[in-house]
Amino acid sequence: MTLFHFGNCFALAYFPYFITYKCSGLSEYNAFWRCVQAGATYLFVQLCKMLFLATFFPTWEGGAGVYDFVGEFMKATVDLADLLGLHLVMSRNAGKGEYKIMVAAMGWATAELVMSRCIPLWVGARGIEFDWKYIQMSFDSNISLVHYIAMAAVVWMFTRYDLPKSFRLPVTVLLGLCVYKAFLMECLDCTAKAILTFYCFNTFM
Amino acid sequence: MFEEASEVFDNMFKSSFPLTFIVFIPAVLILVSPLPAEAAHEFTVYRMQQYDLQGQPYGTRNAILNTEARTVEAEVLSRRCVIMRLVDFSYERYQKALRQSAGAVVIILPKNMSTMPQDIVQQFMELEPEMLATETIVPVYFALEDDELLSIYTQTLTSSSSQGSSSAAEVLIHTATANGFQMVTSGAQSKAVSDWSITSLEGRLAGTGGEDLPTIVLVAHYDSFGVAPWLSYGADSNGSGVSMLLELARLFSRLYTYKRTHAGYNLLFFVSGGGKFNYQGTKRWLEDNLDHTDSSLLQDNVAFVLCLDTLGNGDSLHLHVSKPPKEGTPQYALLKELETVVSSQYPEVKFSMVHKKINLADDTLAWEHERFGIRRLPAFTLSHLNSHREAQRSSIMDVRPHVDLRKLSRNTKLIAEALARVIYNLTEKGAPGDLQIFTEQMQVQEEQLSSVVDWLTAQPRAAQLVDKDSSVVSTLEYHLGRYLKDVRRHYVKADKRDPEFVFYDQLKQTMNAYRVKPAIFDLLLAVCIAAYLGVIYLAIQHFGVLYSLVRRITAPKTKQH
């Protein structure tokens, strides 16, 4: 029943996107082609990011376990291109704010789903061996859908000129979090590990 | 959405034909791509013996496997792969698995046999011939234990023993959390190996003093036997015999190089193959030498044939004969000399003669000397075992620690002294019983014996695995060539129409253990995912309610206006 398992994972990953598309009213605006365009922009932005990273950031040859804070910070900064891409998509779409956000986020997230999750699922979930990671991967794609919607909304808010002054700072902070999310998680993880080893070392000495 | 999607695809098909290829060919390729093999654990398994001897089939017949794993405690064993550990192995459990026509039986052996308690080893040794005696279609495999295999075994054990009596809720939880294992072997069904030739080696030391000298033949078979061919190292039986033969060859070739000690006996050394399969090598060698050649050392004056079989341990020596030697014959002389040497130089050794008539109605012959006896050549076998039916002679538990090097070298010296006394006629010349010939420079070299036994037990030497290009044969040939002259190979191939022996392949395979979930799990998962999607749908449909709730919580001051 391994094809069945693949079907399970695929349904778990894909159906929320389908439901979101249908129920958010995008279908009434003939937004399918625009979502595909947003997806193409996603591909282009990813390609540029990869080329940039490959050219300007050679492989880090430090010792294992030493986390290169500066290097990883620079790499995470490249993710600003994501925000620029989202802004580009939204500015090309005329319409109400919600329409722009939803189109950009849907297209972006769907492109990410197709590119980064379909092939591992197809190749891995169909095999005899069972692994929980495929369910995890599908669930992860749900979370990234919500994440991209939020990110597109924050970008849109940032570009509005009639945004109240008191909202400027929280919006900027949220934007920063979006970009550096992975980097911050790694930092937290490293510091937690360091504190733990230090504590253990002290208790045993 | 589907209408828009179909519009897009219509445009794609109508306008740009090459684009469709670019889209479809990769899709088709991915669809038909073979699945990658990723297993929880991959390990080597060794299959039980499969051979036909004189038309009678023995051992297991099947080789392919693709079944779920279970242990013996489970209720239903048919078409499942039964995993057993050696410590839990018993004949009743094995029979239970066979009766329910299990898919396969895998017996897990510990990596280091010496850690096993002696009684379990002994019990298994005795069970081996019984397992082989019944021909079965259930493939039986042996695997060496490692940590992952042990964890697979324990997991299978918990799931097998919990079957049967448990409530529905427990079963439901069990299906979600437990891990089943699917065992799959690579490789094809086993088939008979055609044109397998068993190699034997002979060499000689010619005596001095005229024509028509009497010949003494020394024989040892080099192959080993056990319930699994790839695991049969045959240390005592018959690695000890071969190493002793090589050492005797070395000692007597040294004696024969000097004119003063060059005796009037021809010495013929024969290292035979196929010994555990009813002495096929010896049988064909005798036929070739006695029936098909005009003159051979075996046809003329043969004093006696001494076969060496399992001499690496124990404090007793038995001389097995099929006819008690008559007085005045060279065999009687050897018997007497052995008694003399034992009583005067090695009183701790118990020496006796065992008389067993050749029974031609038996499936297999008992000892190697019986082959010579059938052709009316006087022969005996020396062994520390009392009976040919002892389990030690054909067991996979017969590994290097079974050979006690001091006892092996003591036995070698004993036999060498007795042979020298016969060859040089020392008793008639009045030499005392405790005269030691093989001392100082002519000493039996223990390091030589040790290195030969170590080398022999480093690889499995089952007759199905040693073909004519094997390193075992060529190294033995080289060693014999250092001491003996006219070292020749002798091949035995089974007869085409009425084969005496047939060997089968697929004796060593790779088995993969895949972690699988039961089928109910997939259904359960589908139900859970459907429920989750239903919740999501409802949440999105009534998103407005959620939004106003959040607004009420985060901006309470607007309400109070």
Side-chain angles (χ1 to χ4, degrees):
Chain A
M1 275 222 194
T2 51
L3 205 60
F4 196 84
H5 184 60
F6 168 73
N8 275 347
C9 296
F10 189 72
L12 182 60
Y14 175 67
F15 269 58
Y17 287 70
F18 182 65
I19 293 172
T20 317
Y21 184 84
K22 272 286 185 203
C23 300
S24 60
L26 277 178
S27 44
E28 293 153 25
Y29 290 92
N30 286 344
F32 181 73
W33 192 236
R34 295 210 174 270
C35 284
V36 173
Q37 281 181 337
T41 317
Y42 168 83
L43 288 174
F44 178 70
V45 166
Q46 296 302 316
L47 190 68
C48 290
K49 271 189 358 184
M50 277 199 288
L51 286 173
F52 191 77
L53 280 173
T55 318
F56 294 104
F57 292 92
T59 45
W60 168 242
E61 269 140 35
V66 175
Y67 191 69
D68 177 27
F69 284 99
V70 178
E72 292 294 325
F73 183 76
M74 301 298 274
K75 281 195 201 166
T77 313
V78 180
D79 285 335
L80 273 173
D82 272 337
L83 297 181
L84 284 173
L86 275 173
H87 174 64
L88 187 72
V89 171
M90 287 198 285
S91 59
R92 285 179 56 189
N93 279 321
K96 276 170 57 180
E98 298 101 58
Y99 172 74
K100 284 205 271 203
I101 294 173
M102 285 311 293
V103 160
M106 278 302 302
W108 203 265
T110 315
E112 201 217 1
L113 170 73
V114 168
M115 284 299 131
S116 60
R117 306 233 195 275
C118 271
I119 296 192
L121 275 183
W122 176 253
V123 167
R126 267 195 325 150
I128 306 180
E129 174 102 351
F130 173 82
D131 207 336
W132 282 108
K133 71 177 184 224
Y134 300 113
I135 301 278
Q136 272 181 315
M137 221 190 275
S138 318
F139 206 70
D140 200 31
S141 72
N142 289 2
I143 296 176
S144 61
L145 172 66
V146 178
H147 174 65
Y148 280 123
I149 293 178
M151 200 148 93
V154 172
V155 168
W156 179 76
M157 278 211 282
F158 190 77
T159 56
R160 297 288 292 176
Y161 60 85
D162 58 352
L163 192 69
K165 286 284 183 280
S166 55
F167 285 171
R168 274 274 153 201
L169 187 61
V171 168
T172 323
V173 168
L174 281 174
L175 266 183
L177 271 179
C178 282
V179 173
Y180 293 108
K181 175 180 70 151
F183 174 67
L184 281 175
M185 294 302 286
E186 289 278 350
C187 282
L188 278 173
D189 196 36
C190 279
T191 35
K193 271 202 211 122
I195 290 173
L196 210 63
T197 44
F198 188 68
Y199 180 69
C200 290
F201 189 69
N202 270 350
T203 45
F204 284 126
M205 288 309 280
Chain B
M1 187 189 85
F2 285 127
E3 307 81 45
E4 295 143 15
S6 56
E7 255 181 61
V8 171
F9 282 125
D10 273 340
N11 287 338
M12 198 165 69
F13 291 154
K14 282 183 207 143
S15 56
S16 46
F17 191 59
L19 191 64
T20 61
F21 269 112
I22 298 173
V23 169
F24 270 116
I25 296 294
V28 168
L29 284 175
I30 292 176
L31 265 169
V32 303
S33 65
L35 290 170
E38 262 183 45
H41 188 48
E42 195 179 279
F43 52 97
T44 323
V45 288
Y46 308 101
R47 202 161 66 98
M48 193 162 95
Q49 289 266 5
Q50 185 184 4
Y51 62 95
D52 295 342
L53 194 59
Q54 275 135 222
Q56 181 88 347
Y58 293 90
T60 169
R61 296 280 110 183
N62 247 351
I64 306 189
L65 179 61
N66 188 341
T67 56
E68 264 181 79
R70 288 268 188 282
T71 56
V72 191
E73 287 81 10
E75 303 278 321
V76 179
L77 287 179
S78 67
R79 289 191 330 255
R80 306 276 198 281
C81 170
V82 182
I83 311 185
M84 280 193 245
R85 290 186 71 197
L86 184 64
V87 285
D88 310 319
F89 182 79
S90 75
Y91 198 54
E92 297 83 44
R93 292 179 170 184
Y94 178 67
Q95 286 287 71
K96 177 185 172 193
L98 288 189
R99 254 198 320 251
Q100 296 198 22
S101 44
V105 178
V106 175
I107 301 179
I108 303 181
L109 302 169
K111 240 194 192 44
N112 200 352
M113 292 292 189
S114 43
T115 56
M116 286 269 107
Q118 237 351 74
D119 52 339
I120 293 186
V121 170
Q122 197 63 30
Q123 182 199 22
F124 187 72
M125 264 209 276
E126 261 136 48
L127 285 174
E128 281 186 54
E130 289 189 43
M131 284 170 72
L132 280 174
T134 52
E135 184 211 349
T136 165
I137 53 166
V138 174
V140 181
Y141 293 99
F142 293 87
L144 291 175
E145 189 179 282
D146 56 8
D147 293 327
E148 298 199 31
L149 200 54
L150 199 57
S151 83
I152 291 177
Y153 175 76
T154 35
Q155 287 180 46
T156 320
L157 186 62
T158 43
S159 73
S160 295
S161 42
S162 67
Q163 275 176 354
S165 56
S166 43
S167 64
E170 276 180 44
V171 170
L172 221 58
I173 298 173
H174 187 254
T175 52
T177 52
N179 261 337
F181 286 96
Q182 185 88 354
M183 311 296 241
V184 183
T185 48
S186 60
Q189 182 62 276
S190 71
K191 51 186 199 323
V193 176
S194 60
D195 281 350
W196 186 263
S197 64
I198 297 181
T199 319
S200 313
L201 297 162
E202 66 168 272
R204 71 182 63 190
L205 286 170
T208 180
E211 305 282 323
D212 209 14
L213 291 169
T215 308
I216 294 179
V217 189
L218 292 170
V219 183
H221 59 91
Y222 67 82
D223 60 318
S224 58
F225 191 81
V227 73
W230 274 91
L231 290 174
S232 46
Y233 296 99
D236 203 7
S237 176
N238 195 12
S240 58
V242 175
S243 60
M244 189 184 283
L245 190 87
L246 288 177
E247 184 63 10
L248 290 173
R250 184 187 74 86
L251 289 170
F252 280 100
S253 83
R254 270 195 91 173
L255 282 176
Y256 272 41
T257 38
Y258 304 112
K259 219 161 153 38
R260 266 194 299 161
T261 48
H262 200 166
Y265 276 84
N266 289 325
L267 290 177
L268 189 56
F269 294 83
F270 186 57
V271 182
S272 66
K276 301 291 188 188
F277 289 94
N278 215 9
Y279 311 108
Q280 296 293 331
T282 316
K283 175 171 172 229
R284 188 64 68 81
W285 185 63
L286 282 172
E287 278 170 22
D288 285 348
N289 270 312
L290 296 177
D291 300 333
H292 303 308
T293 14
D294 292 328
S295 77
S296 134
L297 280 183
L298 285 176
Q299 283 174 345
D300 310 324
N301 191 352
V302 174
F304 54 81
V305 180
L306 179 63
C307 304
L308 304 169
D309 191 338
T310 320
L311 288 154
N313 216 327
D315 278 324
S316 50
L317 269 184
H318 303 281
L319 189 71
H320 299 270
V321 292
S322 41
K323 246 184 348 192
K326 290 208 257 299
E327 282 217 32
T329 54
Q331 309 103 283
Y332 189 75
L334 180 69
L335 175 62
K336 280 292 150 214
E337 297 295 0
L338 278 169
E339 281 174 0
T340 316
V341 172
V342 166
S343 56
S344 45
Q345 297 180 30
Y346 301 101
E348 75 272 15
V349 175
K350 289 184 282 296
F351 177 76
S352 65
M353 182 179 81
V354 178
H355 174 212
K356 181 194 167 302
K357 288 210 185 63
I358 302 178
N359 186 356
L360 288 169
D362 266 345
D363 289 333
T364 54
L365 294 178
W367 296 102
E368 197 152 11
H369 70 268
E370 297 192 356
R371 278 274 170 227
F372 294 91
I374 291 174
R375 305 298 306 235
R376 309 233 183 277
L377 289 171
F380 17 57
T381 305
L382 257 182
S383 174
H384 76 84
L385 295 176
N386 201 357
S387 147
H388 65 100
R389 287 193 207 284
E390 294 247 1
Q392 289 184 31
R393 288 187 76 215
S394 51
S395 165
I396 58 172
M397 299 292 180
D398 187 10
V399 285
R400 176 69 180 85
H402 264 231
V403 172
D404 185 342
L405 208 60
R406 282 181 309 111
K407 299 199 178 152
L408 178 63
S409 88
R410 175 201 72 200
N411 289 342
T412 313
K413 186 150 183 293
L414 202 159
I415 294 170
E417 297 275 356
L419 276 174
R421 292 178 75 95
V422 170
I423 292 175
Y424 297 108
N425 226 346
L426 291 178
T427 314
E428 271 194 29
K429 295 181 186 161
D434 52 0
L435 173 69
Q436 292 199 25
I437 301 174
F438 295 97
T439 52
E440 289 160 32
Q441 285 164 322
M442 288 297 299
Q443 212 176 38
V444 168
Q445 281 178 348
E446 251 187 61
E447 305 87 35
Q448 178 95 331
L449 282 172
S450 158
S451 63
V452 174
V453 174
D454 286 341
W455 164 66
L456 283 173
T457 51
Q459 68 239 307
R461 299 187 319 277
Q464 297 105 318
L465 302 175
V466 180
D467 68 345
K468 54 179 158 65
D469 306 315
S470 153
S471 67
V472 176
V473 173
S474 42
T475 316
L476 279 173
E477 196 178 5
Y478 168 75
H479 268 288
L480 286 175
R482 285 178 69 187
Y483 310 123
L484 309 173
K485 301 219 184 3
D486 286 343
V487 175
R488 271 198 286 255
R489 285 185 182 213
H490 183 263
Y491 298 112
V492 180
K493 273 210 181 101
D495 192 38
K496 288 277 191 275
R497 264 165 294 135
D498 187 15
E500 300 95 351
F501 61 91
V502 180
F503 294 143
Y504 292 81
D505 61 357
Q506 299 291 343
L507 292 167
K508 178 161 97 154
Q509 292 173 304
T510 324
M511 191 180 280
N512 293 304
Y514 295 106
R515 216 177 295 121
V516 290
K517 290 278 185 192
I520 303 187
F521 176 77
D522 276 330
L523 288 173
L524 201 69
L525 199 62
V527 167
C528 290
I529 289 178
Y532 168 76
L533 290 175
V535 167
I536 296 272
Y537 180 73
L538 285 174
I540 293 181
Q541 284 284 58
H542 303 283
F543 192 71
V545 175
L546 235 90
Y547 186 63
S548 51
L549 197 77
V550 171
R551 281 204 76 165
R552 247 184 293 141
I553 293 172
T554 52
K557 53 186 191 286
T558 36
K559 267 191 71 178
Q560 280 158 18
H561 276 287

